[in-house]
Amino acid sequence: MAGLITELLLPGQLDRAAELLSQGEIVAFPTETVYGLGANALDPLAVAKIFQAKGRPQDNPLIVHCTGVEQVEGLVREIPPQALLLMDRFWPGPLTLVLKKGEIIPEVVTAGLDTVAVRVPDHPVALALLQAVSFPLAAPSANLSGRPSPTRAEHVLQDLQGRIPAVLDGGETGWGVESTVLDCTEYPFRLLRPGGVTLEELRELVPVSFGAAEPGEEPPRSPGMKYAHYAPQAEVFLVSGPTAADKIQELSESFLAKGQKVGVLTWDERARLYPGLTVLSMGPEGDLPGLASRLYHLLRRADELGLEVLFAEGVPEERLGLAIMNRLRKAAKGREIIT
Ligand code: AMP
Ligand code: MG
């Protein structure tokens, strides 16, 4: 597929994007979370192109994007009443529900699982595109596998230029972190991936389990969560706790002594604690939605600046902080220090 010239389409050229999708091609498009790389979810050959373009492992299933509950009803075996309640409250929005899959969904979409992940995106361009084509769109994030998810069309081009026919540019995405993934095939429902809709919000409506499986219990089945993700080229260290700044200063000295380029992800108010380090601003202290929206851009920025080591300050694991820490842990590939 390499060697294509990727068309950069504006929302006024949505018909062109719909035409490509109808011809069995793949197109990147904006959603309220991150850019997705879409294909006709009912066409296995089209969906296979997504895995090829991203270099995505075949056993990592895709989220199917729909216009609304009615379209979802045609794709799944059943919708539990409690799941309907969540759809009613959070759709369109950053909540993905895992349901028992109908026959119509090809195996390549669900990586052979008997469940399918579905959601309705809350973005005018995504919804207009879904309306323009008559089929649901299977769409993972539009990045090369393992890289930070794209929150701007230019991020998509950085990764997939020449590998996909087109990207529909809808400006910067709003949330910046991916959707929450909730398994609704067991009760209580199980949180598989924290995201835009918070655990606290879900628990106001339904009981939700989250965390390590009990001994003897099956581990949570979200195949994608076992892969390294969201990683810039720099080695990332996630440092939390009351004396995080001292620890970061101490650790950075040995890297600086080796002549390495060292950066730190920190709140604006704390930037002064890191003289000598390249500061990537997380924004005003405590603004979790603001941080979520710029997190992936900051990780890509670390690459542009040629950083070799990046210290990231941890944030409290509540509300959106749970999703942010989940992504930072994956970027850090296990290098986590709690002071
Ligand atoms: P991405 O689209 O790249 O943000 O990743 C989608 C996430 O949803 C991955 O973590 C997948 O493993 C997860 N997912 C998709 N379909 C299913 C499913 N049927 N069961 C469990 N997890 C799923
Ligand atoms: Mg992804």
Side-chain angles (χ1 to χ4, degrees):
M1 205 175 289
L4 282 175
I5 294 173
T6 302
E7 292 176 45
L8 182 61
L9 304 173
L10 295 172
Q13 297 166 288
L14 193 127
D15 286 351
R16 172 70 183 142
E19 180 186 45
L20 284 165
L21 289 166
S22 300
Q23 292 166 349
E25 283 303 334
I26 54 178
V27 174
F29 65 96
T31 78
E32 83 281 31
T33 57
V34 301
Y35 274 75
L37 181 58
N40 179 353
L42 308 180
D43 176 351
L45 292 179
V47 173
K49 292 178 185 172
I50 293 177
F51 287 88
Q52 198 190 354
K54 283 189 54 125
R56 184 175 176 102
Q58 295 286 343
D59 66 349
N60 192 0
L62 307 180
I63 295 171
V64 176
H65 293 68
C66 297
T67 47
V69 178
E70 234 169 77
Q71 193 173 43
V72 168
E73 280 169 345
L75 307 177
V76 301
R77 288 219 297 279
E78 60 183 24
I79 303 179
Q82 303 280 50
L84 262 181
L85 201 70
L86 296 175
M87 293 173 178
D88 201 45
R89 168 72 178 80
F90 296 110
W91 282 2
L95 176 65
T96 295
L97 302 178
V98 173
L99 301 168
K100 288 183 184 149
K101 109 179 183 45
E103 293 286 321
I104 191 171
I105 299 283
E107 294 227 319
V108 60
V109 172
T110 65
L113 296 175
D114 61 357
T115 56
V116 62
V118 289
R119 86 176 188 100
V120 178
D122 186 16
H123 192 289
V125 175
L127 286 172
L129 186 61
L130 283 163
Q131 296 288 355
V133 296
S134 51
F135 41 77
L137 292 173
S141 50
N143 50 284
L144 279 178
S145 214
R147 298 260 299 144
S149 299
T151 54
R152 304 176 181 191
E154 74 190 62
H155 298 159
V156 177
L157 290 174
Q158 281 169 6
D159 279 17
L160 299 177
Q161 171 88 266
R163 299 176 68 89
I164 60 173
V167 51
L168 186 54
D169 187 350
E172 199 165 353
T173 60
W175 285 84
V177 290
E178 296 82 351
S179 60
T180 303
V181 180
L182 188 70
D183 185 352
C184 301
T185 65
E186 56 179 281
Y187 201 79
F189 295 165
R190 193 197 287 268
L191 185 69
L192 300 181
R193 176 178 76 182
V197 170
T198 66
L199 184 57
E200 292 87 340
E201 288 174 302
L202 292 172
R203 283 182 171 161
E204 280 174 24
L205 289 185
V206 297
V208 176
S209 68
F210 176 54
E214 301 288 326
E217 216 183 305
E218 290 263 304
R221 291 186 318 165
S222 193
M225 297 313 282
K226 68 173 179 274
Y227 293 106
H229 262 93
Y230 317 113
Q233 258 116 47
E235 231 180 308
V236 178
F237 291 84
L238 177 57
V239 188
S240 309
T243 56
D246 294 334
K247 191 75 195 169
I248 290 171
Q249 280 159 355
E250 177 198 321
L251 291 172
S252 63
E253 270 169 30
S254 66
F255 293 110
L256 290 169
K258 281 188 273 177
Q260 291 190 296
K261 254 193 120 171
V262 183
V264 60
L265 265 176
T266 185
W267 301 111
D268 288 346
E269 290 81 350
R270 295 171 56 83
R272 61 182 174 76
L273 300 174
Y274 302 105
L277 301 194
T278 303
V279 169
L280 292 173
S281 163
M282 304 201 310
E285 187 154 8
D287 176 12
L288 295 174
L291 171 56
S293 73
R294 64 175 77 84
L295 182 62
Y296 293 140
H297 179 67
L298 292 174
L299 294 177
R300 284 176 181 265
R301 187 83 192 114
D303 285 348
E304 286 165 17
L305 293 168
L307 297 183
E308 295 165 274
V309 178
L310 178 64
F311 292 100
E313 284 187 350
V315 300
E317 287 188 79
E318 46 192 46
R319 300 189 307 280
L320 262 186
L322 193 64
I324 291 169
M325 284 296 276
N326 170 274
R327 307 309 189 266
L328 284 174
R329 284 206 175 97
K330 294 205 171 280
K333 300 176 183 166
R335 288 178 293 257
E336 180 168 5
I337 298 157
I338 298 163
T339 66

